[in-house]
Amino acid sequence: MKKLGLFFILLFVVFAVIYAIFFRETDEFVQNDLYNEIIQRGYIKVGVNVNSKPFGFYDKNGNVAGYDADLATYIAQYLVKNRAGVKFIPVTPSNRLIKASTGEVDIVISTVTITPQREEIISFSIPYDSAGQAFLVKSDSVIKGLQDLSDLTIGVVYGTTAEKNIQRLLPTANIRGFRSYPDAYEALKSDQINAMTSDDTILNHFAINDKSVKLLPRRYSNEPYGIAFKKSNSVRLKEELDYIIKDLQRKNIINRLRKKWGLE
């Protein structure tokens, strides 16, 4: 009988140790999740590129507007029950992932393409939209595709997937980098570059609003857009973001945003 009692005591100790090692750490991990920080704070810090019409820009009143800004307000409605519960923080293609990984922003909504390389350093939601890499040239240009660009000067924005893709697509071309999309666009207009390459969703805005440039028809990649956030302590946040995106897609809100901002 004493042996049986000792057995149960030892069994209890073993389970207690297992709980201390695994379950308490899990509880602490959940409590420290970025999701809980956002809920306790009452608003979400969102990184948006404000030089990327129609995705992000300052309107005439100085407020951040665009597709990305609208999407952020919907996410805030789900997370903190307040569409105004958003603090926008300007980011650029070259610093947006750094700001997410260091926690300067909670999430980045800024046409960030999900890639295996980026997933090694940052976490992503499921895709909420997609694009394809394209080329913007002047309307009177004889350029029709890659075959005409091999020895010409092509503008890209630093930190984008287009910057990496173009080196593979056109290894002999002269690649010139820019800090923002408007900078690259102005370089095209002033004949400093022969073409500009980026996501078609971004380039199409220039073509629609300026008949002196045109978007070439072919697409050279598939670019799924995801919401980016730091890898550590973000399991619950990812679950919530994935649910929100699925719900917004189910309710056709994503398509309505695309139509509102001229992406369809």
Side-chain angles (χ1 to χ4, degrees), residues 180-205:
S180 71
Y181 298 108
D183 288 346
Y185 169 67
E186 289 301 327
L188 175 64
K189 294 273 291 179
S190 59
D191 295 319
Q192 298 176 52
I193 58 177
N194 303 105
M196 172 183 174
T197 186
S198 185
D199 297 349
D200 54 1
T201 50
I202 294 171
L203 298 181
N204 194 48
H205 169 76

Side-chain angles (χ1 to χ4, degrees), residues 32-38 41 106 229-230 233-234 237:
N32 292 334
D33 195 282
L34 180 55
Y35 168 81
N36 291 328
E37 291 182 30
I38 294 168
R41 189 193 308 132
D106 297 321
F229 48 94
K230 68 179 184 179
N233 297 346
S234 59
L237 179 61

Side-chain angles (χ1 to χ4, degrees), residues 1 41 58 68 81 87 118 128 143 162 194 201-202 215 218 230 239 243-244 255:
M1 190 70 179
R41 189 193 308 132
Y58 288 115
D68 293 343
K81 313 306 179 187
K87 179 180 180 181
R118 287 173 172 172
Y128 63 89
I143 297 171
N194 303 105
T201 50
I202 294 171
L215 191 63
R218 186 170 175 184
K230 68 179 184 179
E239 291 174 353
Y243 167 78
I244 292 168
N255 284 337

Side-chain angles (χ1 to χ4, degrees), residues 68-82:
D68 293 343
D70 280 355
L71 180 57
T73 63
Y74 277 108
I75 290 172
Q77 176 64 50
Y78 280 82
L79 290 181
V80 298
K81 313 306 179 187
N82 180 8

